[in-house]
Amino acid sequence: MERVVGRIGRAHGVRGELNVDIRTDEPGRRFAPGSSVKADSRLLLVRSSRQHSGKMVVAFEGVNDRDAAEALHGRILTTEVDPAVSPDGPEEFYDHQLIGLAVHTPVGQAVGSITEVLHLPAQDTLAISRDDHEFLVPFVNELVPEVNLVDGYVVVADVPGLLDLDAADIAGIFDAGSQ
């Protein structure tokens, strides 16, 4: 199963290194020297990777100068992920494990289902669909206290305005489906 693991940013220096916007919880595994990722149909072999000023800087085999690096700017990086494999940490999940899960409140009221996991700068966010509406819920412990992959659901806190359209309208908050 192919999954997005990053997006290539600007070139870093003159030796072909690139800043990569990470979209995986396992950058050390996905961008380890010797691993490979795809940019469109091009297979890229990771030569080296390191953290620099809070960013991941990656060098790929065959990308040896700034011009070659700039030609890759903006490309989405993907890799094959075995659907049976789980991340190392107990509180970590792959997107494909979350998409399709039912969403409930703490008292068991059905809310909808997860349709997408957005990897935003501040935190990951769950897109939850109910009827013809989409709600965006930050994927943080305070708002999503339970993920049960075995039984196929997540629990989302019942915070006023988070999942209730009427409360959201009163508070001046818009659901993602109306923007």
Side-chain angles (χ1 to χ4, degrees), residues 16-65:
E17 290 183 310
L18 292 151
N19 288 310
V20 174
D21 175 26
I22 299 302
R23 302 213 178 139
T24 176
D25 288 340
E26 299 179 307
R29 176 189 235 178
R30 301 295 173 214
F31 295 99
S35 63
S36 62
V37 294
K38 284 173 66 176
D40 299 323
S41 61
R42 182 176 175 184
L43 188 65
L44 298 170
L45 184 64
V46 176
R47 185 173 66 228
S48 65
S49 63
R50 62 187 168 88
Q51 290 289 326
H52 177 74
S53 299
K55 299 265 187 185
M56 175 71 78
V57 177
V58 180
F60 297 106
E61 294 291 336
V63 181
N64 299 319
D65 60 31

Side-chain angles (χ1 to χ4, degrees), residues 138-170:
F139 192 31
V140 295
N141 285 336
E142 294 78 17
L143 298 176
V144 186
E146 181 181 353
V147 176
N148 188 323
L149 296 179
V150 173
D151 292 332
Y153 70 89
V154 299
V155 172
V156 173
D158 194 9
V159 176
L162 186 63
L163 302 172
D164 179 16
L165 287 176
D166 296 330
D169 288 340
I170 292 168

